[in-house]
Amino acid sequence: MQQLTAGIDVAKQHLDLAIHPSQEHQRFTNDAEGCAALLQSLNNTSVTRIIIEATGGYERLIVTELLAAGLPVFVVNPRQVRDFAKAMGQLAKTDRIDAQVLARFG
């Protein structure tokens, strides 16, 4: 069975969700409604872990919701993820790419 890892790139206004290795991508608003929709989307998959960068606070709502739902969420150091991306040769930086890098990092 293939293990799926989710990466969530967090910004003030939105959340970008990527699933590795499927390359699936979705965008949600970073509010209660968007978090509920993201949780619903994750319930339709069988992810084994969810990776989120520490963003200085913008991640708090989604992390709280994921933990309350009993999902395996890990908040990671952004510098380690950026170093990982550079090591893979991924120099471009967009929200969608960042979500994919987070998923691969996981």
Side-chain angles (χ1 to χ4, degrees), residues 16 39 47 56 58 79:
D16 283 272
L39 281 168
V47 296
Y58 294 131
R79 185 174 8 185

Side-chain angles (χ1 to χ4, degrees), residues 25-101:
H25 175 265
Q26 294 176 284
R27 177 171 271 190
F28 304 91
T29 55
N30 191 0
D31 57 18
E33 185 178 303
C35 288
L38 189 146
L39 281 168
Q40 181 63 39
S41 180
L42 285 175
N43 284 333
N44 295 329
T45 66
S46 56
V47 296
T48 57
R49 68 188 63 84
I50 303 161
I51 310 299
I52 299 176
E53 283 181 329
T55 62
Y58 294 131
E59 78 283 1
R60 288 185 187 136
L61 177 61
I62 189 60
V63 169
T64 300
E65 295 295 323
L66 292 167
L67 289 172
L71 294 171
V73 61
F74 300 88
V75 180
V76 298
N77 182 317
R79 185 174 8 185
Q80 290 176 326
V81 177
R82 190 68 196 134
D83 289 345
F84 175 76
K86 287 179 185 177
M88 291 186 335
Q90 182 62 58
L91 302 179
K93 190 159 172 35
T94 66
D95 296 335
R96 184 181 187 131
I97 290 171
D98 288 349
Q100 280 294 334
V101 168

